[in-house]
Amino acid sequence: MPLKFYMTPGSCTTGIHILLEELELPFEVTIVNMPAGDHRRPEYLALNPKGTIPTLVLDDGQALTEFQAIAYWLARRYPRKRLLPDDPLQAAQALELMDYVVGSVHGQGYTRIFTTDRYLPDGLPDADRAAWQSGIQARGREIVAEAFALIEARLPEAGYALGADFSIADAALFYVEFWADKTGLSLPPRCAAHYQRVRARPVVQRVLREEGYR
């Protein structure tokens, strides 16, 4: 039974898509159309009661959810590509960066930009709506910029996030850098160089084409 990958093109699931292709694994794809409510359908909730993406159904039928958990499982289950460093400290640093990207850059920053209405108070008068939305999005951009500045200070001048080897941390960092590119947010120099370095990988180029990007 092949892996079954539930994803939305251009979302955080792009990072997991990259890891699956890097590992050259056979897998089936199901597109989850979030605006259409696919993530709230009973058949999807049976796999992932949280109604989130990504979801990866393993070859034994168990479902894994959350970016970090899926990325970690792939790296440990298929170690030949060295997607997680052997050194315990470097492995912990990979998990640290990945968690910060998913939890803060994405979870605190980009959610305010992409899903602004979630942050509006109940009962807000229509006359105040536009001002609130603008302020929430501005705060989201501040959070993203502050986060990239922190990441910038820890990135090496050359190579990937943790050195010579591409890792699960790079796949996570890439998808928020990709969002910055698509939304016109500037990246500091080392983050911009990292983005271009990862984007130049043949596997990443193929994934972006498959997801409808050039």
Side-chain angles (χ1 to χ4, degrees), residues 78-99:
Y78 303 99
R80 68 182 184 278
K81 287 285 188 172
R82 296 177 55 82
L83 293 174
L84 191 65
D86 293 330
D87 177 75
L89 176 58
Q90 284 196 322
Q93 289 170 335
L95 298 176
E96 178 186 26
L97 176 55
M98 183 170 57
D99 186 64

Side-chain angles (χ1 to χ4, degrees), residues 17 22 29 31 40 64 72 86 111 113 124 146 157 171 174-175 187 195 201 205:
H17 190 181
E22 287 280 351
V29 169
I31 301 298
R40 292 299 177 194
L64 269 182
Y72 177 79
D86 293 330
T111 56
I113 298 171
L124 182 69
E146 291 165 1
E157 291 185 8
F174 175 78
Y175 87 75
L187 291 170
Y195 173 59
R201 292 176 70 85
Q205 293 178 21

Side-chain angles (χ1 to χ4, degrees), residues 65-146:
T65 66
E66 304 298 335
F67 188 103
Q68 301 98 308
I70 294 170
Y72 177 79
W73 181 85
L74 288 170
R76 290 295 303 271
R77 176 66 178 80
Y78 303 99
R80 68 182 184 278
K81 287 285 188 172
R82 296 177 55 82
L83 293 174
L84 191 65
D86 293 330
D87 177 75
L89 176 58
Q90 284 196 322
Q93 289 170 335
L95 298 176
E96 178 186 26
L97 176 55
M98 183 170 57
D99 186 64
Y100 184 60
V101 165
V102 177
S104 296
V105 187
H106 178 177
Q108 296 297 322
Y110 279 111
T111 56
R112 285 173 165 83
I113 298 171
F114 295 151
T115 57
T116 309
D117 286 356
R118 289 171 48 187
Y119 292 89
L120 295 176
D122 293 336
L124 182 69
D126 289 344
D128 297 333
R129 193 178 187 88
W132 272 83
Q133 289 174 325
S134 178
I136 291 166
Q137 291 177 349
R139 179 58 185 143
R141 289 190 292 272
E142 288 177 357
I143 292 171
V144 170
E146 291 165 1

Side-chain angles (χ1 to χ4, degrees), residues 26-39:
F27 61 96
E28 297 177 0
V29 169
T30 297
I31 301 298
V32 180
N33 186 331
M34 304 286 277
D38 288 358
H39 60 304

